[in-house]
Amino acid sequence: MANYSGKSSSAEKTEVRLVVAGDPGTGKTSLILAVQNDSVPQQVVSVLPTTRLPDDFYPDRVPVTIVDTSSSLENRNKLAQELKLADAVVLTYACDQPETLDRLTTFWLPELRKLEVRVPVIVVGCKLDAREDTQVSLEQVMSPIMQKFREIETCIECSARNMIQIPEVFYYAQKAVVHPTGPLFDQETQSLKPRCVRALKRIFIICDQDRDGTLSDAELNDFQVKCFNAPLQPAEIVGVKKVVQEKMSEGVSDRGLTLTGFLFLHALFIEKGRLETTWTVLRKFGYDNEIKLRDDLVSVSFKRAPDQSVELTNEAIEFLKGIFCLFDLDGDGALRPAELDDLFSTAPESPWNESPYKDAAETTVVGGLSLDGFLSKWSLMTLLEPAKSLANLIYLGYTGDSASALRLTRRRKLDRKKQQSERNVFQCFVFGPTKAGKSALLNSFLGRPFAESYSPTTTQRFAANVVEQRTTLILREIPEDEVKPLLSSKESLSACDVAVFVHDSSDEQSWKRAKEMLIDVASNGEASGFEVPCLIVAAKEDLDSYPTAIQDSVRVCRDMGIEAPIPISNKMADLNNVFSKIINAAERPHLSIPETEAGRSRKQYRHLVNRSLMFVSVGAAVAVVGLAAYRVYAARKSSSS
């Protein structure tokens, strides 16, 4: 730990492309020739062809390609193209020409920003041998420039003629790409970035095998061996803890190194330019350059048909129940926002801070999340983004793979044939015209009070909750203007277990529009094969109902073969067990499937065709049997004669 020695692993980059730019005569070409040949010829060409350093030139064994450029006006477009392809830019000035240093801030660095070249910049002072000794130090010159242009990773002076710090120039440039500072450290505040802190906290917790909040000497040694393939000597462990304790007493306890001390050490390494140390640790624990778990660690391996969904396994659910109890510090049966933030403090960020998850579950009056609400959000995330769900399980400490955490449900088509569903999570599409009461239905589902003022829903919205302590129901509100775009896809209904059509029972036009949507959805299901059970919900029963609409809705239900409309009043909290009825319809997917006139005609036509084919087949079979009998008869007659 004291030395964090060992060969650091490289990033996912398989090659680093460095582009050298700067004013004419600042030594760009000589710099490249010097690193390539260990010398510079008397005559130097204006621009070199692309140069590639051997794979083993630097310890990381990541190949380096160096691109020389011309800054002449006629080559300006070519220069811009090369800069945009760079992994890092080596920006040169001449130590004996102060005006070329001024050009960095007046032209080159602003030009990189103008071109949106967002890569590390290495500022290199060439011709060090020609500089006058009376000039101020590099640190004095570059410090204000680096404060203004944070993209500058480091500054270095060199001499191609005297071979001073030539390999170091491209080593720092390669290192800035392979072991970047940006994701780890905030130069302005001189502190670790939040995502880096979260990743290191997770690593600390994993290594704290006895869960006592510290890394003992044995745990420190195990950590060192895992990351750097080399054990720590007792004296080295003592040295590490001494360095930490001198700077912050809370970094070490009588049991070992605390999380505070662990984070301090990494900040210290980064400040001293040893970023490869922290990157090696992060990559050993599966992180990529964005400090997220690598895709191969959180990939969902199984392939699924459009009408299959993904759910959490019982093993994953039990793990989450344990996590819930662990972070419910006050034991009130709910996770307050602060407790939830602490729970996700080992993930890159809380996955539920934005839609569609932010307001998708029921909360307590103080914003707490019950166990049902907690598990409902996990079910929603698993349904919509299985890989994201798996990644966050791992961030929380789940050690299983995707096969143990996630399960693939049976196809809905097969569920209809078997006349039952084995799912634990159902998704219900909620259709209906504007002001029909769709949002009010979702709010009631989440236990929220009825809102007197109308607030239109402009994007799809989700609500998830547990119904009757057995099944998770997810309501997906479809705004009226998104219905047609949704149904334009053949597989639009493949993810739907049941569709609900909400209308304002006091408004005839509201019912007519809901009926049109019902027919459109039923027609889409008949054409695509993704037929879904449908229910009609007559909302706003507290208002005077429109008689014609009631009669017509009952007739439509009868004609299409679905259940009668379900009257509800969100305002009066009279929901008529609508959510249980939605679950019942989803669990029996062969029932409540609407049939349109066109669909009925096609079905009758197919039935007639099948009957005709059957008669033809029977007739053909009789003819074949008759022919065979005749042949037997003819053969016998011939032999007897």
Side-chain angles (χ1 to χ4, degrees):
M1 185 80 174
N3 60 347
Y4 265 13
S5 60
K7 180 181 172 182
S8 61
S9 61
S10 65
E12 294 179 348
K13 294 290 292 183
T14 56
E15 182 176 333
V16 172
R17 185 179 181 86
L18 306 178
V19 174
V20 183
D23 278 358
T26 54
K28 300 187 296 294
T29 303
S30 295
L31 176 65
I32 299 171
L33 285 170
V35 76
Q36 185 181 24
N37 304 315
D38 289 335
S39 64
V40 180
Q42 291 295 325
Q43 296 296 323
V44 177
V45 297
S46 58
V47 179
L48 288 173
T50 299
T51 301
R52 182 183 173 97
L53 300 181
D55 294 3
D56 58 354
F57 197 87
Y58 293 121
D60 287 298
R61 300 185 69 85
V62 177
V64 175
T65 298
I66 305 173
V67 180
D68 195 7
T69 62
S70 169
S71 53
S72 62
L73 287 175
E74 60 268 25
N75 290 307
R76 191 57 56 86
N77 288 337
K78 172 68 173 173
L79 172 63
Q81 290 173 3
E82 291 294 356
L83 289 171
K84 290 179 179 180
L85 294 174
D87 294 316
V89 174
V90 175
L91 208 52
T92 62
Y93 69 93
C95 291
D96 62 338
Q97 301 173 46
E99 66 275 12
T100 62
L101 177 60
D102 294 338
R103 283 269 294 169
L104 296 183
T105 56
T106 59
F107 174 75
W108 285 105
L109 289 164
E111 181 69 8
L112 291 177
R113 290 184 175 181
K114 180 181 175 182
L115 294 172
E116 298 184 347
V117 177
R118 298 186 179 92
V119 297
V121 175
I122 311 299
V123 172
V124 181
C126 299
K127 305 183 182 182
L128 177 61
D129 54 284
R131 190 182 71 176
E132 296 180 9
D133 293 337
T134 56
Q135 287 183 297
V136 295
S137 69
L138 178 64
E139 184 177 353
Q140 288 177 298
V141 172
M142 292 305 305
S143 183
I145 297 176
M146 293 181 72
Q147 287 292 323
K148 184 178 179 181
F149 296 94
R150 295 288 180 179
E151 55 267 43
I152 299 175
E153 189 78 16
T154 192
C155 306
I156 186 172
E157 292 179 328
C158 66
S159 169
R161 176 179 292 177
N162 296 339
M163 291 303 296
I164 298 173
Q165 296 201 119
I166 295 300
E168 285 83 351
V169 169
F170 297 102
Y171 172 69
Y172 287 129
Q174 182 216 47
K175 186 178 176 182
V177 177
V178 177
H179 308 299
T181 304
L184 303 182
F185 201 71
D186 189 325
Q187 298 281 13
E188 193 163 334
T189 62
Q190 288 292 292
S191 61
L192 296 173
K193 286 191 172 179
R195 184 172 285 195
C196 180
V197 170
R198 288 167 169 263
L200 291 174
K201 180 179 179 180
R202 172 178 170 264
I203 292 169
F204 180 90
I205 292 172
I206 291 172
C207 295
D208 179 19
Q209 297 175 6
D210 57 9
R211 299 292 185 267
D212 68 346
T214 62
L215 296 184
S216 65
D217 292 357
E219 289 167 340
L220 275 173
N221 190 63
D222 290 343
F223 168 79
Q224 172 77 13
V225 171
K226 176 179 175 64
C227 294
F228 305 99
N229 300 316
L232 282 169
Q233 299 302 317
E236 292 176 319
I237 295 177
V238 171
V240 168
K241 292 195 282 190
K242 184 178 179 182
V243 168
V244 174
Q245 202 158 30
E246 286 175 352
K247 297 292 183 179
M248 50 174 58
S249 58
E250 66 271 26
V252 178
S253 73
D254 56 354
R255 295 192 303 274
L257 188 71
T258 66
L259 174 60
T260 302
F262 186 72
L263 295 175
F264 166 77
L265 274 178
H266 283 280
L268 185 63
F269 287 128
I270 293 169
E271 287 175 6
K272 291 184 177 296
R274 295 171 59 185
L275 290 96
E276 66 274 13
T277 297
T278 300
W279 275 117
T280 298
V281 171
L282 290 169
R283 288 168 185 145
K284 280 290 183 180
F285 283 86
Y287 288 92
D288 61 16
N289 270 11
E290 296 179 356
I291 317 187
K292 298 186 300 183
L293 288 175
R294 295 194 316 268
D295 290 342
D296 62 295
L297 297 179
V298 296
S299 63
V300 179
S301 57
F302 44 71
K303 294 182 179 180
R304 51 177 168 149
D307 59 346
Q308 287 181 291
S309 62
V310 182
E311 297 180 359
L312 293 168
T313 62
N314 289 333
E315 181 179 330
I317 291 172
E318 289 304 313
F319 168 79
L320 289 172
K321 287 180 178 178
I323 289 291
F324 181 93
C325 294
L326 182 65
F327 284 87
D328 181 17
L329 300 179
D330 54 10
D332 64 349
L335 293 179
R336 292 177 288 108
E339 292 172 330
L340 198 61
D341 287 342
D342 192 27
L343 184 147
F344 283 116
S345 65
T346 52
E349 57 270 320
S350 173
W352 298 341
N353 284 341
E354 305 293 337
S355 61
Y357 308 109
K358 186 175 181 180
D359 297 314
E362 185 174 4
T363 56
T364 64
V365 290
V366 293
L369 200 60
S370 68
L371 178 59
D372 279 350
F374 180 69
L375 294 177
S376 294
K377 279 200 175 186
W378 276 100
S379 294
L380 175 60
M381 185 163 62
T382 305
L383 180 82
L384 300 180
E385 301 176 275
K388 183 175 183 177
S389 185
L390 177 62
N392 279 280
L393 280 170
I394 297 173
Y395 287 131
L396 298 189
Y398 185 78
T399 56
D401 57 10
S402 61
S404 66
L406 308 175
R407 79 177 192 94
L408 192 63
T409 63
R410 192 167 64 189
R411 294 193 64 174
R412 289 181 178 86
K413 288 183 179 180
L414 188 56
D415 284 346
R416 287 202 299 274
K417 288 182 180 180
K418 292 184 175 292
Q419 300 187 359
Q420 64 176 359
S421 176
E422 296 177 340
R423 300 184 184 214
N424 300 312
V425 179
F426 293 109
Q427 181 173 194
C428 170
F429 285 18
V430 180
F431 295 98
T434 303
K435 297 183 179 181
K438 302 187 297 296
S439 296
L441 181 67
L442 268 69
N443 289 335
S444 295
F445 186 48
L446 299 180
R448 294 173 187 166
F450 178 79
E452 293 287 350
S453 59
Y454 172 70
S455 178
T457 301
T458 56
T459 59
Q460 293 189 25
R461 175 192 164 200
F462 292 84
N465 212 338
V466 176
V467 178
E468 297 179 353
Q469 299 181 335
R470 61 187 178 94
T471 305
T472 300
L473 176 61
I474 294 170
L475 300 182
R476 178 178 175 181
E477 180 181 355
I478 314 293
E480 182 176 7
D481 58 359
E482 289 194 25
V483 175
K484 282 192 175 181
L486 175 74
L487 296 179
S488 65
S489 169
K490 180 181 178 181
E491 298 178 351
S492 58
L493 298 175
S494 62
C496 180
D497 292 293
V498 58
V500 164
F501 298 84
V502 182
H503 69 278
D504 180 349
S505 60
S506 68
D507 184 346
E508 184 180 22
Q509 291 303 316
S510 180
W511 158 244
K512 287 182 177 179
R513 185 70 188 99
K515 180 172 68 172
E516 291 172 1
M517 292 182 186
L518 170 63
I519 294 171
D520 288 343
V521 168
S523 299
N524 183 286
E526 290 170 341
S528 65
F530 297 116
E531 299 160 301
V532 296
C534 294
L535 297 175
I536 294 175
V537 172
K540 304 185 182 183
E541 278 294 297
D542 50 286
L543 303 178
D544 292 335
S545 299
Y546 199 90
T548 307
I550 296 175
Q551 295 169 5
D552 190 44
S553 63
V554 171
R555 180 188 60 77
V556 167
C557 288
R558 183 180 65 249
D559 291 347
M560 299 187 78
I562 61 177
E563 294 183 21
I566 305 169
I568 67 167
S569 170
N570 290 296
K571 183 176 182 178
M572 305 301 293
D574 181 9
L575 300 177
N576 199 7
N577 293 320
V578 64
F579 305 120
S580 294
K581 291 175 181 178
I582 292 173
I583 290 291
N584 289 335
E587 288 179 332
R588 298 181 294 172
H590 60 297
L591 303 177
S592 302
I593 294 179
E595 190 175 48
T596 65
E597 287 291 337
R600 189 177 295 111
S601 298
R602 282 196 298 270
K603 188 178 291 184
Q604 289 173 347
Y605 175 75
R606 284 197 298 268
H607 182 65
L608 288 173
V609 169
N610 289 337
R611 287 189 62 188
S612 299
L613 289 174
M614 183 181 70
F615 288 138
V616 169
S617 299
V618 170
V622 170
V624 169
V625 171
L627 179 60
Y630 171 77
R631 286 176 176 172
V632 171
Y633 168 77
R636 286 179 178 175
K637 185 176 181 182
S638 176
S639 62
S640 62
S641 61

